[in-house]
Amino acid sequence: MRFWKYVNEDKYIGSVGNGQGGTEITETEYNTILDAIRNRPTAPDGYGYRMREDLTWELYDLPVMEESI
């Protein structure tokens, strides 16, 4: 089985998977990334986290959503 990750130009991991896609990684790296995702800290209201390529989390402001009528 083939494992992969996609890292955007800003060095954040956008996705991981198996099969075709992204940059090939080992199964161990794939499982390490999934473990980090499962253990993501809870962000305060109005914020989210994005994962850097080094598997650390970066807090960021969520965009303001306008309510629909």
Side-chain angles (χ1 to χ4, degrees):
M1 181 174 289
R2 181 181 185 277
F3 298 92
W4 58 266
K5 69 180 176 182
Y6 169 73
V7 178
N8 68 23
E9 57 275 349
D10 294 325
K11 304 294 183 195
Y12 298 108
I13 295 177
S15 57
V16 294
N18 57 44
Q20 295 301 315
T23 302
E24 190 166 357
I25 59 175
T26 66
E27 183 175 4
T28 299
E29 184 177 359
Y30 174 80
N31 288 326
T32 300
I33 294 168
L34 289 183
D35 187 51
I37 291 169
R38 289 183 191 111
N39 291 296
R40 176 181 56 89
T42 302
D45 288 342
Y47 295 89
Y49 279 105
R50 56 185 159 216
M51 182 182 283
R52 293 184 183 119
E53 192 172 16
D54 67 359
L55 305 187
T56 59
W57 292 101
E58 178 178 293
L59 189 67
Y60 70 97
D61 293 323
L62 291 174
V64 176
M65 301 293 291
E66 292 186 27
E67 291 188 34
S68 33
I69 299 175

